[in-house]
Amino acid sequence: MTDVTLPSLRAALVGNPNSGKTALFNALTGARQKVANYAGVTVERKEGVLTTPAGRTLSVLDLPGTYSLRARSPDEIVTRDAVLGRLAGETPPDVVVCVADATNLRLILRLVLELKQVGRPFVLALNMFDIAQRQGLQIDIERLSQEIGAPIVTTVATRKRGLEDLLRQVDAVADTVKPGENVWHEPTSADLRQAHSEARRIVKACVKPAERPDTITGRIDSVLLHPAAGLAILLGLLFVMFQAVFTWATPAMDGIEAGFAALGAGIDAVLPDGLVQSLLIDGLIGGVGSVLVFLPQILILFFFIILLEDSGYMARAAFLMDKIMGGAGLHGRAFIPLLSSFACAIPGIMSTRVIDNKQDRLTTILVAPLMTCSARIPVYTLIIAAFIPNTTVWGFVSLQGLVMFGLYAAGIVSALLVSFVIRRIFWRGSVEPFMMELPTYKTPDIKNVLMNLWIRARIFISRAGRIILPLMILVWALSTFPYPPEGATGPAIDYSFAGMIGHFILPVMQPIGFNWQMSIALIPGMAAREVAVAVLGTVYSVSEADGATDALATTLSSQWSIATALAFLAWYVFAPQCAPTLGVVKRETNGWLWPSVMFIYMVSLAYLAAFVTFRVASAFGLG
């Protein structure tokens, strides 16, 4: 008896946004997934590998969400081309798994009808089936299967229910169903009307309306989508989020800082004074440690954003902000990319692909870096800790947290103002109407939240190792060599390469209140904003064994004026201190024109804001 090795398979997950498709992908593949980009574009490519019940090796590709193969955005184009088998560098899928929200079949059926025309074997996964049952929806699965000409499996991705049945159906379809002729074509208006009509007919024939309609979502929306109360609740949520970033993270930050301080003290006790000790304590521990200490704050920010997305509230927030953003020349869909930019401008810019109109998309890309990303948090936290008293106002609000909220608000207001100007300089015309399907409210899955937080933490720590660590070694070397000449009376750093560079560019930065140490911090800070904190720690603690953040804050408060500190904060609100962001903009816009425009206008705004802030603060006696 010989074992027969079954050929491997490729399956593509396709579905509407908010259908639980990615949750199903995570449930199927777990940690066995790779994230990259598709060839030639910046659309994220997620693929995982698993073994089916029949023993096959199955590669699963998680395609971007779409409502139709009639693609209008870069994400939708990737999904269409992958399904049709014409995506460069990709092997066509053997089986397509169409993931549907079981509580809303009307939308997915339009896509299902198009998949039938493509001719590839496919399986329909009715996801969130527990919610449909709870609502009292009665779906005639056998009749529906006959109507669409494909097998159907019910799943609950967040509970890992139905996964084995789904994989068995994939095996069965691969064995028994032969690919048909591809007769799909770009649908005309008449085709779309016919598809709508056919989808309604199938739903009427196969789905009995809920005996217990989902009135909870309606009741919650009557409050959260109220023009006044809903907006107040949204602003309150954002306020709590920014307060939490500053106050909840304190114990964890203190623990990390104490750990690095103990590590530095241990090395100081073991190694004699010299270059090696200076490199380890001042360069590596003082530099990288002063950035990693802010990891708790960044994770808290991501925690809130993930909860808003998974609960279904993010779409409501976009709806509430539509009128405000429309007045500033932004499309309502821009809210989600801009809110994502609070974590990092790079995924925020990449998520603008959900905006169909090219002009609306470019406007959003140009203002996304103005949102206060997590890389600014180390800079803001350092300056606030050094110059803003740790007290409460109104009896319960942290003054430091309030200043942090003000900096976030400054980024939001500036983004709206810049978008207003952009729409009137580069292109005119009204913003397209905003239409979005509002998903039902869902309880976020704690495992999914923790997995996403772990991924974000791993990315941040990896960034510290790949970008910040080499830069800190370079800055340490620049700050250490050459040694001061014999008989020198000034600080050793003044005679180093770092001191020379800082003094060289000082005349340009002096009018906005910057000293040479601040000037030198901006140069490696172009690689990543948070590097500036590490550079300041290295530059100011070159001759010290303690590079802790508290010590650096104390040093800055004694050597900077309040006017200088405020000017530094104003600079960071606007400055494009992130080369990877400019690189992503170049790839998203297919050229250097718009990255150049972004760099010039943001540097100009940063210099102007810092100049005005420093001069006004100095006029009030804070200089």
Side-chain angles (χ1 to χ4, degrees):
M1 181 175 178
T2 58
D3 293 331
V4 178
T5 302
L6 295 173
S8 59
L9 289 177
R10 287 179 58 81
L13 297 187
V14 181
N16 297 157
N18 301 309
S19 63
K21 176 176 58 62
T22 297
L24 182 61
F25 174 76
N26 288 335
L28 286 169
T29 62
R32 303 179 303 277
Q33 53 181 266
K34 296 180 180 179
V35 181
N37 286 337
Y38 288 98
V41 294
T42 54
V43 178
E44 190 174 73
R45 181 187 187 277
K46 298 172 76 173
E47 185 176 22
V49 179
L50 55 97
T51 303
T52 69
R56 280 190 175 94
T57 298
L58 178 66
S59 297
V60 182
L61 193 63
D62 182 18
L63 293 173
T66 185
Y67 292 103
S68 169
L69 297 183
R70 180 175 175 261
R72 288 294 177 269
S73 69
D75 276 10
E76 293 171 346
I77 289 172
V78 164
T79 297
R80 179 198 65 195
D81 290 348
V83 169
L84 295 177
R86 61 192 194 197
L87 188 62
E90 289 291 331
T91 304
D94 301 297
V95 179
V96 174
V97 177
C98 187
V99 184
D101 177 354
T103 66
N104 189 359
L105 290 179
R106 178 181 53 85
L107 283 176
I108 196 66
L109 284 175
R110 288 160 39 198
L111 180 59
V112 167
L113 293 173
E114 291 187 83
L115 290 176
K116 284 182 65 177
Q117 295 177 340
V118 173
R120 294 196 186 283
F122 75 96
V123 177
L124 179 62
L126 291 185
N127 198 29
M128 307 185 206
F129 196 69
D130 57 334
I131 299 176
Q133 289 179 313
R134 201 157 54 240
Q135 293 178 1
L137 275 174
Q138 296 182 27
I139 304 174
D140 187 339
I141 293 178
E142 186 176 346
R143 172 76 182 274
L144 181 58
S145 178
Q146 293 173 355
E147 291 282 357
I148 67 173
I152 297 176
V153 178
T154 61
T155 62
V156 182
T158 56
R159 301 288 182 267
K160 295 190 175 181
R161 296 177 191 163
L163 302 187
E164 286 293 316
D165 291 340
L166 177 61
L167 293 176
R168 287 193 188 95
Q169 283 292 354
V170 170
D171 272 327
V173 165
D175 288 335
T176 61
V177 179
K178 301 298 181 183
E181 183 184 358
N182 180 9
V183 296
W184 182 87
H185 61 275
E186 186 83 11
T188 63
S189 298
D191 293 332
L192 290 174
R193 286 193 296 270
Q194 183 178 354
H196 281 299
S197 177
E198 179 67 3
R200 283 195 300 268
R201 184 194 68 78
I202 295 175
V203 169
K204 187 175 181 180
C206 303
V207 182
K208 186 177 180 180
E211 296 175 358
R212 301 180 300 278
D214 181 19
T215 56
I216 296 178
T217 293
R219 288 200 298 267
I220 296 174
D221 279 346
S222 66
V223 177
L224 295 186
L225 296 182
H226 188 275
L231 197 57
I233 292 171
L234 173 60
L235 293 176
L237 282 173
L238 294 177
F239 181 79
V240 169
M241 181 170 74
F242 301 136
Q243 281 280 309
V245 164
F246 204 92
T247 57
W248 295 2
T250 301
M253 292 176 67
D254 290 344
I256 294 173
E257 192 166 37
F260 276 104
L263 180 61
I267 292 175
D268 184 43
V270 172
L271 294 179
D273 292 343
L275 280 179
V276 175
Q277 187 204 67
S278 175
L279 171 62
L280 292 176
I281 296 177
D282 299 324
L284 303 187
I285 296 175
V288 176
S290 63
V291 173
L292 288 181
V293 74
F294 299 103
L295 178 61
Q297 290 184 314
I298 291 167
L299 290 182
I300 287 174
L301 179 63
F302 274 112
F303 174 74
F304 275 97
I305 290 177
I306 292 168
L307 285 185
L308 292 177
E309 288 177 339
D310 289 359
S311 66
Y313 182 74
M314 189 76 89
R316 272 86 181 172
F319 174 80
L320 286 168
M321 294 297 293
D322 178 47
K323 184 173 289 186
I324 296 173
M325 299 181 73
L330 285 168
H331 193 275
R333 283 185 180 271
F335 177 77
I336 293 176
L338 292 183
L339 190 60
S340 299
S341 296
F342 279 130
C344 179
I346 291 174
I349 289 169
M350 292 171 65
S351 64
T352 60
R353 293 187 292 260
V354 301
I355 303 173
D356 297 342
N357 183 276
K358 183 179 179 180
Q359 294 178 347
D360 292 335
R361 183 167 173 257
L362 272 174
T363 303
T364 308
I365 287 173
L366 289 174
V367 301
L370 290 173
M371 310 306 283
T372 302
C373 67
S374 58
R376 288 182 172 97
I377 291 177
V379 178
Y380 288 172
T381 302
L382 174 66
I383 305 304
I384 289 172
F387 294 92
I388 306 299
N390 187 16
T391 59
T392 58
V393 293
W394 307 315
F396 66 96
V397 177
S398 163
L399 179 60
Q400 293 182 335
L402 189 62
V403 172
M404 178 73 83
F405 178 74
L407 291 169
Y408 274 84
I412 295 170
V413 172
S414 63
L416 294 177
L417 291 175
V418 170
S419 67
F420 181 84
V421 174
I422 287 174
R423 291 289 299 193
R424 279 147 187 80
I425 290 179
F426 293 116
W427 39 76
R428 299 174 181 271
S430 58
V431 179
E432 289 187 351
F434 176 44
M435 292 182 290
M436 173 179 278
E437 182 79 13
L438 294 181
T440 56
Y441 289 103
K442 303 175 185 69
T443 302
D445 179 56
I446 187 64
K447 290 183 179 179
N448 188 55
V449 172
L450 292 176
M451 179 181 287
N452 280 315
L453 284 177
W454 165 244
I455 290 172
R456 297 302 173 185
R458 193 172 60 190
I459 290 172
F460 182 78
I461 293 171
S462 172
R463 180 185 178 94
R466 289 183 298 105
I467 298 176
I468 298 173
L469 180 61
L471 283 173
M472 287 309 96
I473 295 175
L474 175 62
V475 170
W476 171 83
L478 291 174
S479 303
T480 302
F481 303 106
Y483 290 125
E486 285 190 35
T489 56
I493 187 98
D494 283 357
Y495 302 94
S496 68
F497 290 123
M500 297 174 193
I501 296 172
H503 285 100
F504 177 76
I505 62 177
L506 181 61
V508 178
M509 309 305 290
Q510 208 162 20
I512 61 176
F514 285 21
N515 58 29
W516 71 265
Q517 292 96 334
M518 298 164 70
S519 302
I520 189 65
L522 298 181
I523 297 173
M526 278 301 301
R529 289 180 173 93
E530 64 269 33
V531 172
V533 173
V535 174
L536 289 172
T538 300
V539 169
Y540 276 108
S541 62
V542 166
S543 60
E544 300 175 12
D546 187 359
T549 304
D550 285 343
L552 179 57
T554 302
T555 301
L556 296 185
S557 64
S558 65
Q559 298 202 20
W560 293 9
S561 67
I562 295 180
T564 294
L566 293 177
F568 196 63
L569 288 176
W571 173 274
Y572 262 85
V573 169
F574 298 101
Q577 296 281 140
C578 186
T581 296
L582 296 173
V584 168
V585 173
K586 186 261 181 185
R587 287 189 294 170
E588 290 289 331
T589 59
N590 295 316
W592 283 108
L593 172 61
W594 295 111
S596 301
V597 170
M598 174 187 286
F599 182 81
I600 292 170
Y601 98 75
M602 291 185 73
V603 168
S604 301
L605 279 180
Y607 196 92
L608 178 63
F611 181 85
V612 171
T613 300
F614 179 71
R615 297 300 170 181
V616 170
S618 298
F620 280 94
L622 300 176

